[in-house]
Each structure stands twice: as structure tokens, then as C-alpha cells.
Amino acid sequence: MISLFLAEDQSMLNTTLTQLLNLEADLQVVGTALNRAIAA
């Protein structure tokens, strides 16, 4: 299982990417942020 933390400033794209990536059996989004400053 690969864990991902997604940082994307477009809210709709952030949500969509999270949902799509979570459909993959070997990927798991463990968190999201609206920009890299928040993610750091």
C-alpha cells in the first residue's frame, strides 16, 4: 500500500483526485491540503 498526501490549491481538483486515487487498490490518500504551505 502506498500512502499519499495530496497538496492542490484547486478545491474541486483536490477532491476529485483524492476520490480517484482512493479507487486504486494499492494507493491510499492519507491527507490533503489546499497548498504546500499548509502541507508543510
Side-chain angles (χ1 to χ4, degrees):
M1 174 79 57
I2 299 171
S3 298
L4 301 169
F5 191 94
L6 183 63
E8 171 57 52
D9 63 346
Q10 297 295 319
S11 178
M12 188 168 80
L13 184 56
N14 194 333
T15 302
T16 303
L17 282 174
T18 299
Q19 291 174 349
L20 287 173
L21 291 170
N22 279 330
L23 291 174
E24 295 294 323
D26 60 342
L27 297 176
Q28 178 183 15
V29 177
V30 295
T32 63
L34 292 178
N35 61 44
R36 81 174 175 191
I38 294 172

